[in-house]
Amino acid sequence: LKQERVAPEQYMVPGARQLLEGLKERGLKMYLASGTDEIYMREEARLLGVVPFFEGGVYGAQEDYQSFSKKILIQRIVSNTNVRGDEIVGFGDGFVEIEEVKLVGGVTVGVATKEPACAEVDDWKRQRLIGAGADFIVPNFLAHEKLLHSLFAR
């Protein structure tokens, strides 16, 4: 990616960019949060060309682990904005982000990608994400239009 010899989409879940475009078109303010160290995560997001989608900011793990977590970010969104918990849509492949968004009343999409092809659902990930409360389970975002319709028809 740094040498621009491959397209960023090669390192993204299929359909992710189109999903981000669809969410942005709907006027959502998006936040990107990762358990990866912020310095590396910000560089990765920059190389993938996704930073402009995340008007709310790009966040990663801090050396002082008590200063940032996905839980803290979600609580900040609810307390510092006019957004109610039930207006939050969370996407993730981890237990924590699904659980935390559900705790504030949000809707969640569990990404249970079976790597490296990202073409089907990994059953172990699926079960774990369902256990966390995921409302939807997807292997990728190729059906982003159908997913967006389902999310916003509620």
Side-chain angles (χ1 to χ4, degrees):
L1 280 176
K2 283 184 181 180
Q3 284 82 35
E4 298 180 356
R5 290 186 295 196
V6 294
E9 283 73 19
Q10 185 174 329
Y11 293 100
M12 297 172 71
V13 172
R17 186 169 310 279
Q18 294 85 351
L19 174 70
L20 290 170
E21 290 168 353
L23 292 167
K24 189 167 183 97
E25 286 172 10
R26 285 169 172 74
L28 273 69
K29 183 173 185 177
M30 294 184 277
Y31 300 76
L32 178 59
S34 173
T36 300
D37 288 349
E38 190 168 284
I39 189 168
Y40 302 115
M41 188 264 192
R42 283 182 178 271
E43 176 67 359
E44 219 173 275
R46 185 189 69 73
L47 290 170
L48 293 172
V50 298
V51 173
F53 291 106
F54 297 99
E55 181 185 327
V58 177
Y59 304 89
Q62 302 292 312
E63 194 169 310
D64 170 18
Y65 68 91
Q66 293 179 339
S67 67
F68 173 78
S69 69
K70 293 172 186 176
K71 179 178 186 164
I72 290 170
L73 177 59
I74 292 165
Q75 290 173 344
R76 283 184 194 155
I77 293 168
V78 172
S79 63
N80 297 343
T81 68
N82 292 326
V83 174
R84 296 187 324 265
D86 64 350
E87 295 175 315
I88 294 176
V89 178
F91 295 81
D93 64 351
F95 191 93
V96 172
E97 56 267 24
I98 299 299
E99 185 177 57
E100 293 301 333
V101 171
K102 292 305 294 179
L103 285 172
V104 297
V107 174
T108 57
V109 178
V111 186
T113 300
K114 189 170 199 171
E115 297 177 43
C118 302
E120 57 189 64
V121 168
D122 179 295
D123 194 53
W124 181 85
K125 291 178 184 177
R126 177 181 179 274
Q127 293 305 320
R128 186 161 163 76
L129 294 169
I130 288 171
D135 297 295
F136 298 88
I137 299 290
V138 298
N140 55 49
F141 301 115
L142 292 174
H144 56 89
E145 290 176 8
K146 191 182 273 187
L147 178 60
L148 289 169
H149 177 75
S150 295
L151 288 170
F152 296 101
R154 296 175 157 233

